Amino acid sequence: MELMRVNCSTCNGQLNDMLLNFWAQIGRDRISPVIQPKCPWNIGPANIMRQGEKGTILESCRVQEVLCKWCRSILGSECISSPVNHLLHKGQLLLRTSSIQVKDFHGHVTYVPVITRKLNFRTRLDNNLQPRDYYRYGYKNYRQLMGESPEISHVLENIDAQREDIKRLDVVGGQVETSLSLAMHHIKNELRKLEMEMTQMTDRSSETSTRNGSLKKDAPSAKAEIGKTKRAIRPLVAQRQLEQKSSSMRNTIGKVGTSLRIESSNNWRKHQQRLNLLKSELESIRFGSKELQVLLERAHTTAKTALAASDWGTEKMGALEAEMLHLGNKLEAKRSYKPSSTT
């Protein structure tokens, strides 16, 4: 079974392209995919969630209307949640048959949906239903109205419960069958690809063997051509080696020149720094010599002043010595004169 594409009948927009053409009909104008596709649908919610209508298959479920993502037209409804052992499951879509189109994978050919099972949308009691219809849908009112005994009602309830289990098993069996069909389709595709790859490998191997045969035939001539080429290439090889050597020598000379320039630049920078240092030391020496000269001049002036002062002091001392000598002489004269007068 091939994969189908589901399009919106209003705008022809793609809703899903990974779907098997197996559907469950619900009522007259609703269908639901038996197996949910792996890729998401291009649909969106139309309104808030609501409770399913009573007396329908949506009873006790929370549902929400869905619309086309491209043209915003209503497509049907989606089951958001359902009670345990319900016929509908979470995420199941109930699409209106007039709102969708089932086409081939490329979207060129339109197909009729393949109905694998049918379910009634309305489940209310109807006076026109036969007893077997009540039993089929699991209702008990008819038997209660007919005044059946509790034992028979219990047995019939067990039978009805088993019918529901059989229905569920039927649904599960349909899903398993569809899954197996999908798996078989995938396996067939893989086998087809494998056969194509084997055919391509066989063709390649035959081409390779043909090429190997032609290469074996052409091997002697190829060897002769290779020998001629080698002989012709030898001078070129020697020239190429010389060019490589000269190029390497030029590179070496360039590297040596660069290193010498770098070294000379470094040496010149070092000598310049040393010269600047010597100049600064010389300036400091000159400045120190100037200060020393000033100090020497000050010392010379001070020495002259001291010398002049010492000369004046010497003269003073000489005058004092002379005066003291004169006084001494006077005292001696007085001493010598006093005794003579007493006599």
Side-chain angles (χ1 to χ4, degrees):
M1 201 70 179
E2 295 184 358
L3 295 175
M4 297 295 174
R5 174 185 293 184
V6 180
N7 288 6
C8 175
S9 59
T10 303
C11 65
N12 200 30
Q14 179 179 320
L15 301 176
N16 206 302
D17 59 353
M18 295 290 289
L19 188 70
L20 289 175
N21 193 15
F22 291 143
W23 302 84
Q25 183 175 350
I26 301 174
R28 294 181 180 179
D29 59 350
R30 292 176 177 85
I31 57 175
S32 177
V34 176
I35 293 183
Q36 294 296 327
K38 294 182 179 180
C39 58
W41 291 80
N42 291 324
I43 60 176
N47 49 28
I48 61 175
M49 290 184 292
R50 57 182 175 80
Q51 198 70 24
E53 298 87 349
K54 292 184 178 181
T56 65
I57 198 171
L58 299 175
E59 187 175 357
S60 302
C61 298
R62 292 183 64 81
V63 295
Q64 189 175 30
E65 300 296 326
V66 293
L67 47 77
C68 175
K69 182 180 178 181
W70 315 111
C71 66
R72 315 295 292 179
S73 61
I74 300 296
L75 300 174
S77 56
E78 179 183 5
C79 177
I80 304 301
S81 63
S82 61
V84 181
N85 295 330
H86 198 273
L87 289 176
L88 301 181
H89 57 80
K90 181 181 179 181
Q92 186 170 354
L93 294 176
L94 281 72
L95 303 174
R96 298 184 182 276
T97 54
S98 59
S99 64
I100 63 170
Q101 291 179 346
V102 180
K103 296 187 176 183
D104 63 334
F105 185 76
H106 300 286
H108 302 311
V109 183
T110 303
Y111 286 85
V112 177
V114 177
I115 305 300
T116 59
R117 65 187 306 238
K118 293 183 178 181
L119 298 172
N120 283 350
F121 182 74
R122 297 287 176 181
T123 57
R124 287 187 181 275
L125 293 178
D126 192 349
N127 294 328
N128 297 323
L129 293 178
Q130 299 297 323
R132 62 177 179 272
D133 296 324
Y134 286 99
Y135 299 155
R136 182 174 62 185
Y137 294 113
Y139 298 122
K140 307 173 185 179
N141 296 30
Y142 183 82
R143 291 195 297 269
Q144 293 174 358
L145 291 174
M146 293 298 292
E148 293 177 351
S149 63
E151 292 81 3
I152 296 174
S153 299
H154 181 67
V155 172
L156 292 176
E157 287 176 2
N158 291 334
I159 293 172
D160 292 339
Q162 291 178 3
R163 284 197 182 97
E164 292 297 329
D165 293 337
I166 291 171
K167 287 182 182 179
R168 295 190 188 93
L169 290 174
D170 186 20
V171 174
V172 174
Q175 293 178 353
V176 171
E177 183 181 359
T178 307
S179 301
L180 290 174
S181 299
L182 182 61
M184 289 298 296
H185 175 70
H186 181 69
I187 291 171
K188 286 180 181 178
N189 290 334
E190 293 296 329
L191 288 174
R192 193 179 297 111
K193 291 180 182 179
L194 183 60
E195 288 177 357
M196 293 175 62
E197 290 178 358
M198 291 296 293
T199 304
Q200 292 176 359
M201 290 178 65
T202 305
D203 296 338
R204 289 175 183 173
S205 62
S206 61
E207 292 178 0
T208 305
S209 60
T210 305
R211 290 178 183 176
N212 289 333
S214 61
L215 288 174
K216 287 180 180 179
K217 292 180 182 179
D218 297 337
S221 60
K223 288 182 179 179
E225 291 293 333
I226 290 170
K228 291 180 182 179
T229 305
K230 285 182 178 179
R231 288 191 293 273
I233 288 174
R234 283 175 184 173
L236 296 176
V237 172
Q239 184 179 359
R240 181 64 178 173
Q241 291 177 353
L242 289 174
E243 290 178 355
Q244 290 178 354
K245 289 181 179 179
S246 62
S247 177
S248 63
M249 290 178 68
R250 283 196 294 271
N251 292 332
T252 304
I253 292 170
K255 290 179 181 179
V256 171
T258 303
S259 63
L260 288 174
R261 284 195 296 273
I262 293 171
E263 187 176 359
S264 62
S265 176
N266 293 332
N267 292 331
W268 181 84
R269 193 177 295 106
K270 290 179 181 178
H271 290 309
Q272 188 69 27
Q273 292 176 355
R274 190 171 182 181
L275 180 61
N276 294 332
L277 182 61
L278 291 174
K279 285 181 179 180
S280 62
E281 291 178 356
L282 181 60
E283 289 295 331
S284 62
I285 290 171
R286 286 178 180 176
F287 182 75
S289 63
K290 287 181 180 180
E291 291 182 350
L292 183 61
Q293 186 175 0
V294 170
L295 292 175
L296 289 174
E297 289 178 355
R298 289 179 180 176
H300 184 66
T301 304
T302 304
K304 284 183 178 180
T305 304
L307 183 60
S310 63
D311 291 339
W312 180 78
T314 304
E315 291 177 359
K316 280 285 190 182
M317 289 294 294
L320 289 173
E321 287 179 356
E323 189 176 355
M324 288 178 69
L325 182 62
H326 179 68
L327 291 173
N329 293 327
K330 283 183 176 183
L331 288 173
E332 288 293 333
K334 286 181 178 181
R335 288 174 182 175
S336 61
Y337 178 75
K338 287 180 177 182
S340 62
S341 61
T342 55
T343 56

